[in-house]
Amino acid sequence: MTDKTGAEKTALTPATHTTPPARFSHGVRKGNILQVAGQVGFLPAVEGQPPTVAGPTLREQTLQTFANVRAILEEGGASWDDVMMMRVYLTDVDHFAEMNAIYNAYFEEQGLKEAPAARTTVYVGLPKGLLIEIDALAVLG
């Protein structure tokens, strides 16, 4: 679908992700804007099997969540350096310090040039067993 400027809106579902269970997309790109929907720590999809959580720890789930966000960024032609804003949702206020340490180490390893704006909040509505959700907004070009 194109708008008045001719920019197409493209839904993004990398091969590592399952088809969403409802009418939404894992990510959407329109022009140079890419929005990654909230991602959680599910391992890459296996056809015919339900999603599997990466593990019970915040570290395992956070690293897998970063991998899932990155897969959508790459599917849309973006990288971490294109991310302008990330929102992190934790299910436990006691996880803030650990998540910040994991976040800092991960992005240091990625060689991120400039850190995006970020917001972390506690959200208790994630499905049982999930500890973190992350969404991201990227601007390409």
Side-chain angles (χ1 to χ4, degrees):
M1 173 184 261
T2 58
D3 65 11
K4 291 184 260 182
T5 67
E8 261 193 56
K9 180 176 170 182
T10 305
L12 304 170
T13 300
T16 54
H17 288 56
T18 59
T19 301
R23 192 164 166 78
F24 65 85
S25 303
H26 289 291
V28 175
R29 180 171 176 183
K30 186 171 183 179
N32 68 337
I33 306 287
L34 191 159
Q35 176 66 56
V36 177
Q39 299 296 301
V40 294
F42 288 144
L43 293 170
V46 175
E47 193 171 332
Q49 294 184 12
T52 303
V53 179
T57 69
L58 181 65
R59 178 174 185 71
E60 290 167 308
Q61 290 189 31
T62 300
L63 293 175
Q64 186 61 52
T65 301
F66 283 146
N68 293 342
V69 170
R70 184 178 185 165
I72 296 165
L73 290 170
E74 290 174 352
E75 183 81 6
S79 72
W80 285 118
D81 282 316
D82 296 309
V83 174
M84 301 296 292
M85 177 67 177
M86 285 199 312
R87 285 174 293 269
V88 179
Y89 305 92
L90 297 172
T91 58
D92 187 334
V93 70
D94 292 334
H95 288 164
F96 270 86
E98 182 181 359
M99 192 285 300
N100 284 340
I102 297 165
Y103 180 101
N104 288 340
Y106 177 83
F107 284 111
E108 186 174 318
E109 288 173 12
Q110 300 303 306
L112 190 65
K113 295 175 190 150
E114 295 293 335
R119 179 179 193 317
T120 303
T121 190
V122 174
Y123 172 71
V124 295
L126 292 177
K128 185 176 169 99
L130 292 173
L131 304 174
I132 188 167
E133 179 177 332
I134 299 174
D135 69 52
L137 175 67
V139 178
L140 291 78

